[in-house]
Structure formats: C-alpha cells, structure tokens
Coordinates of all heavy atoms in Angstrom, one line a residue:
L25 N 0.8 -1.2 0.0 CA 0.0 0.0 0.0 C 0.8 1.3 -0.1 O 0.2 2.4 0.1 CB -0.9 0.0 1.2 CG -2.1 -1.0 1.2 CD1 -2.9 -0.9 2.6 CD2 -3.0 -0.8 0.1
E26 N 2.1 1.2 -0.3 CA 3.0 2.3 -0.2 C 3.0 3.1 -1.6 O 4.0 3.0 -2.3 CB 4.4 2.0 0.1 CG 5.4 3.1 0.6 CD 6.7 2.6 1.1 OE1 6.9 1.4 1.4 OE2 7.5 3.4 1.2
F27 N 1.9 3.8 -1.8 CA 1.7 4.5 -3.1 C 2.4 5.9 -2.9 O 1.7 6.9 -2.8 CB 0.2 4.7 -3.5 CG -0.4 3.4 -3.8 CD1 -1.1 2.6 -2.9 CD2 -0.2 2.8 -5.0 CE1 -1.8 1.4 -3.1 CE2 -0.9 1.6 -5.4 CZ -1.6 0.9 -4.4
E28 N 3.7 5.9 -3.0 CA 4.4 7.2 -2.8 C 5.5 7.3 -4.0 O 6.1 6.3 -4.4 CB 5.2 7.3 -1.5 CG 4.3 7.2 -0.3 CD 4.9 7.8 1.0 OE1 6.1 8.1 0.8 OE2 4.2 7.8 2.0
P29 N 5.6 8.6 -4.6 CA 6.4 8.8 -5.7 C 7.9 8.2 -5.6 O 8.4 7.6 -6.4 CB 6.4 10.3 -6.0 CG 5.1 10.6 -5.5 CD 4.9 9.8 -4.2
A30 N 8.5 8.6 -4.4 CA 9.9 8.2 -4.2 C 10.1 6.7 -4.2 O 11.0 6.3 -4.8 CB 10.3 8.8 -2.7
Q31 N 9.3 5.9 -3.6 CA 9.4 4.5 -3.6 C 9.1 4.0 -5.0 O 9.8 3.1 -5.4 CB 8.4 3.9 -2.6 CG 8.5 2.4 -2.5 CD 9.9 1.9 -2.0 OE1 10.2 2.2 -0.9 NE2 10.6 1.1 -2.8
S32 N 8.1 4.5 -5.7 CA 7.9 4.1 -7.0 C 8.9 4.3 -7.9 O 9.2 3.5 -8.8 CB 6.5 4.7 -7.5 OG 5.5 4.3 -6.9
R33 N 9.7 5.4 -7.8 CA 10.7 5.6 -8.7 C 11.8 4.6 -8.4 O 12.6 4.3 -9.5 CB 11.2 7.1 -8.5 CG 10.2 8.1 -9.1 CD 10.5 9.5 -8.6 NE 9.4 10.4 -9.0 CZ 9.1 11.6 -8.5 NH1 9.8 11.9 -7.4 NH2 8.2 12.4 -8.8
E34 N 12.2 4.3 -7.2 CA 13.1 3.3 -6.9 C 12.6 2.0 -7.5 O 13.6 1.3 -8.0 CB 13.2 3.1 -5.3 CG 13.9 4.3 -4.6 CD 15.4 4.4 -5.0 OE1 16.1 3.4 -4.6 OE2 15.9 5.3 -5.6
N35 N 11.5 1.6 -7.5 CA 11.0 0.4 -8.0 C 11.0 0.4 -9.5 O 11.3 -0.7 -10.0 CB 9.5 0.2 -7.5 CG 9.4 -0.2 -6.1 OD1 10.5 -0.3 -5.4 ND2 8.2 -0.1 -5.6
L36 N 10.8 1.5 -10.1 CA 11.0 1.5 -11.7 C 12.5 1.3 -12.0 O 12.7 0.4 -12.9 CB 10.6 3.0 -12.1 CG 9.2 3.3 -12.3 CD1 9.0 4.8 -12.5 CD2 8.7 2.6 -13.5
R37 N 13.4 1.8 -11.3 CA 14.9 1.6 -11.4 C 15.1 0.1 -11.2 O 16.0 -0.6 -11.9 CB 15.7 2.6 -10.7 CG 15.7 3.9 -11.2 CD 16.8 4.7 -10.5 NE 16.5 5.1 -9.1 CZ 15.8 6.2 -8.8 NH1 15.6 7.1 -9.7 NH2 15.6 6.5 -7.5
A38 N 14.7 -0.5 -10.1 CA 15.0 -1.9 -9.8 C 14.4 -2.7 -10.9 O 15.2 -3.7 -11.2 CB 14.3 -2.1 -8.5
G39 N 13.2 -2.6 -11.3 CA 12.7 -3.4 -12.4 C 13.5 -3.3 -13.7 O 13.8 -4.3 -14.4
Y40 N 13.9 -2.1 -14.0 CA 14.7 -1.9 -15.2 C 16.0 -2.6 -15.1 O 16.5 -3.4 -16.0 CB 15.0 -0.3 -15.3 CG 15.9 -0.1 -16.6 CD1 15.3 0.0 -17.9 CD2 17.1 0.3 -16.4 CE1 16.1 0.3 -18.9 CE2 18.0 0.6 -17.5 CZ 17.5 0.5 -18.8 OH 18.2 0.9 -19.9
Y41 N 16.8 -2.6 -14.0 CA 18.1 -3.1 -13.9 C 18.0 -4.6 -13.6 O 18.9 -5.4 -14.1 CB 18.9 -2.4 -12.9 CG 19.5 -1.1 -13.4 CD1 19.0 0.1 -13.0 CD2 20.6 -1.1 -14.2 CE1 19.4 1.3 -13.5 CE2 21.0 0.1 -14.7 CZ 20.6 1.2 -14.3 OH 21.0 2.5 -14.7
D42 N 17.0 -5.1 -12.9 CA 16.8 -6.5 -12.7 C 16.5 -7.2 -14.1 O 16.9 -8.3 -14.3 CB 15.7 -6.8 -11.7 CG 16.2 -6.7 -10.2 OD1 17.4 -6.6 -10.0 OD2 15.3 -6.6 -9.4
M43 N 15.7 -6.6 -15.0 CA 15.5 -7.1 -16.2 C 16.8 -7.1 -17.1 O 17.0 -8.0 -17.9 CB 14.4 -6.4 -17.0 CG 14.0 -6.9 -18.3 SD 13.6 -8.7 -18.3 CE 11.9 -8.6 -17.7
Q44 N 17.6 -6.1 -17.0 CA 18.9 -6.0 -17.6 C 19.8 -7.1 -17.2 O 20.4 -7.8 -17.9 CB 19.5 -4.7 -17.3 CG 19.0 -3.4 -17.9 CD 19.5 -2.9 -19.1 OE1 19.8 -3.7 -20.0 NE2 19.9 -1.7 -19.2
R45 N 19.7 -7.4 -15.9 CA 20.5 -8.6 -15.3 C 20.1 -9.8 -16.0 O 20.9 -10.6 -16.4 CB 20.2 -8.6 -13.8 CG 21.0 -9.8 -13.0 CD 20.5 -10.1 -11.7 NE 20.5 -8.9 -10.8 CZ 21.6 -8.5 -10.2 NH1 22.6 -9.2 -10.2 NH2 21.3 -7.5 -9.4
F46 N 18.8 -10.1 -16.2 CA 18.3 -11.2 -16.8 C 18.7 -11.3 -18.4 O 19.2 -12.3 -18.9 CB 16.7 -11.4 -16.7 CG 16.1 -12.3 -17.7 CD1 16.2 -13.6 -17.4 CD2 15.5 -11.9 -18.8 CE1 15.6 -14.6 -18.3 CE2 15.0 -12.8 -19.7 CZ 15.0 -14.1 -19.4
L47 N 18.5 -10.0 -19.0 CA 18.7 -10.0 -20.5 C 20.1 -10.3 -20.9 O 20.5 -10.9 -21.8 CB 18.2 -8.7 -21.0 CG 16.6 -8.6 -21.0 CD1 16.3 -7.1 -21.5 CD2 15.9 -9.5 -21.9
Y48 N 21.0 -9.7 -20.1 CA 22.5 -9.7 -20.5 C 23.3 -10.5 -19.6 O 24.6 -10.4 -19.7 CB 23.0 -8.2 -20.5 CG 22.2 -7.3 -21.4 CD1 21.2 -6.3 -21.0 CD2 22.5 -7.4 -22.7 CE1 20.6 -5.6 -21.9 CE2 21.9 -6.6 -23.8 CZ 20.9 -5.8 -23.3 OH 20.2 -5.0 -24.2
G49 N 22.7 -11.2 -18.7 CA 23.6 -12.1 -17.8 C 24.5 -11.4 -16.7 O 25.5 -11.8 -16.5
L50 N 24.0 -10.2 -16.3 CA 24.7 -9.4 -15.4 C 24.8 -10.3 -14.1 O 23.9 -11.0 -13.7 CB 24.1 -8.1 -15.1 CG 23.9 -7.3 -16.4 CD1 23.4 -5.9 -16.0 CD2 25.2 -7.0 -17.1
R51 N 25.9 -10.0 -13.2 CA 26.1 -10.7 -12.0 C 26.1 -9.7 -11.0 O 26.2 -8.5 -11.1 CB 27.3 -11.6 -12.1 CG 27.2 -12.6 -13.3 CD 28.4 -13.4 -13.4 NE 28.4 -14.4 -12.2 CZ 28.9 -15.6 -12.3 NH1 29.2 -16.1 -13.4 NH2 29.0 -16.4 -11.2
G52 N 26.3 -10.2 -9.7 CA 26.3 -9.4 -8.5 C 25.1 -9.4 -7.6 O 24.0 -9.8 -8.1
T53 N 25.2 -9.0 -6.4 CA 24.2 -9.0 -5.4 C 23.8 -7.5 -5.1 O 22.6 -7.2 -4.8 CB 24.5 -9.8 -4.2 OG1 25.6 -9.3 -3.6 CG2 24.7 -11.2 -4.5
K54 N 24.8 -6.6 -5.0 CA 24.6 -5.1 -4.6 C 24.6 -4.3 -5.9 O 24.0 -3.3 -5.8 CB 25.7 -4.7 -3.6 CG 25.7 -5.5 -2.3 CD 26.8 -5.0 -1.4 CE 26.8 -5.8 -0.1 NZ 27.8 -5.4 0.7
Y55 N 25.3 -4.7 -6.9 CA 25.5 -4.0 -8.1 C 25.2 -5.0 -9.3 O 24.9 -6.1 -9.1 CB 26.8 -3.4 -8.2 CG 27.3 -2.3 -7.3 CD1 27.6 -2.7 -6.0 CD2 27.0 -1.0 -7.6 CE1 28.1 -1.7 -5.2 CE2 27.4 0.0 -6.8 CZ 27.8 -0.3 -5.4 OH 28.2 0.6 -4.5
Y56 N 25.1 -4.2 -10.4 CA 24.9 -5.0 -11.7 C 26.2 -5.0 -12.5 O 26.6 -4.0 -13.1 CB 23.7 -4.4 -12.5 CG 22.4 -4.3 -11.8 CD1 22.1 -3.1 -10.9 CD2 21.5 -5.3 -11.8 CE1 21.0 -3.2 -10.1 CE2 20.4 -5.3 -11.1 CZ 20.1 -4.2 -10.2 OH 19.0 -4.1 -9.6
V57 N 26.9 -6.2 -12.4 CA 28.2 -6.3 -13.0 C 28.2 -6.9 -14.3 O 27.8 -8.0 -14.4 CB 29.1 -7.0 -11.9 CG1 30.6 -7.1 -12.5 CG2 29.0 -6.4 -10.6
D58 N 28.8 -6.3 -15.2 CA 28.9 -6.8 -16.5 C 30.3 -7.5 -16.7 O 31.3 -6.8 -16.7 CB 28.8 -5.6 -17.6 CG 29.0 -6.2 -19.1 OD1 28.7 -7.4 -19.3 OD2 29.3 -5.4 -19.9
C59 N 30.3 -8.7 -16.9 CA 31.5 -9.6 -16.9 C 31.4 -10.8 -17.8 O 30.5 -11.6 -17.6 CB 32.0 -9.9 -15.6 SG 30.9 -11.0 -14.7
D60 N 32.0 -10.9 -18.9 CA 32.0 -11.9 -19.7 C 33.2 -12.8 -19.6 O 34.1 -12.9 -20.4 CB 32.0 -11.5 -21.2 CG 31.6 -12.7 -22.2 OD1 31.2 -13.7 -21.7 OD2 32.0 -12.4 -23.4
W61 N 33.2 -13.5 -18.4 CA 34.5 -14.2 -18.0 C 34.1 -15.7 -17.9 O 33.1 -16.1 -17.6 CB 34.9 -13.8 -16.6 CG 35.2 -12.3 -16.4 CD1 35.6 -11.5 -17.4 CD2 35.1 -11.6 -15.2 NE1 35.8 -10.2 -16.8 CE2 35.4 -10.2 -15.5 CE3 34.8 -11.9 -13.9 CZ2 35.4 -9.3 -14.5 CZ3 34.7 -10.9 -12.9 CH2 35.1 -9.6 -13.2
D62 N 35.1 -16.5 -18.1 CA 35.1 -17.9 -17.6 C 36.1 -18.0 -16.5 O 36.8 -17.0 -16.0 CB 35.6 -18.9 -18.7 CG 37.0 -18.6 -19.3 OD1 37.7 -17.9 -18.6 OD2 37.2 -19.1 -20.4
E63 N 36.1 -19.2 -15.8 CA 36.9 -19.2 -14.6 C 38.4 -18.9 -14.9 O 39.0 -18.3 -14.0 CB 36.8 -20.6 -13.9 CG 35.5 -20.7 -13.0 CD 35.8 -21.7 -11.8 OE1 35.5 -22.8 -12.1 OE2 36.2 -21.4 -10.8
T64 N 38.9 -19.4 -15.9 CA 40.3 -19.1 -16.2 C 40.6 -17.6 -16.3 O 41.7 -17.2 -15.8 CB 40.7 -19.9 -17.6 OG1 40.5 -21.2 -17.5 CG2 42.2 -19.6 -17.9
K65 N 39.7 -17.0 -17.0 CA 40.0 -15.5 -17.1 C 39.8 -14.7 -15.8 O 40.6 -13.9 -15.5 CB 38.9 -14.9 -18.1 CG 39.2 -13.4 -18.4 CD 38.3 -12.9 -19.5 CE 38.5 -11.4 -19.8 NZ 37.5 -11.0 -21.0
A66 N 38.8 -15.2 -15.0 CA 38.6 -14.6 -13.6 C 39.9 -14.8 -12.7 O 40.3 -14.0 -12.1 CB 37.5 -15.2 -12.9

C-alpha cells in the first residue's frame, strides 16, 4: 500500500536493472556487474 512517488521511482529503477540482469547475464548482489568471464579469465 506504499503509493508514494519516491518508492515508485526506486521500484522503476529496480525493475529496469533486474531485467537488464536477466537479459544480459549481469552478475552481483549489490550492483549489476557486466563480466564476460570464464573461470580461467577470472
């Protein structure tokens, strides 16, 4: 029931970047990390 602009704007950003995580295989828990590594490269 938290219909407030500030929270909604945060949720818009969260949805955008979480979908980016899915679409591009981004990793991380606190950030959205773009890394095209295998274990050898890491």
Side-chain angles (χ1 to χ4, degrees):
L25 291 177
E26 195 173 349
F27 293 99
E28 295 199 2
Q31 183 63 58
S32 288
R33 290 166 188 157
E34 288 291 295
N35 293 348
L36 281 167
R37 285 191 286 266
Y40 178 80
Y41 282 103
D42 282 347
M43 181 56 75
Q44 294 263 48
R45 183 194 302 276
F46 166 76
L47 292 173
Y48 299 102
L50 304 181
R51 305 183 65 143
T53 57
K54 299 178 181 178
Y55 291 87
Y56 301 89
V57 183
D58 178 23
C59 61
D60 188 19
W61 309 327
D62 56 20
E63 273 208 277
T64 301
K65 187 174 180 179

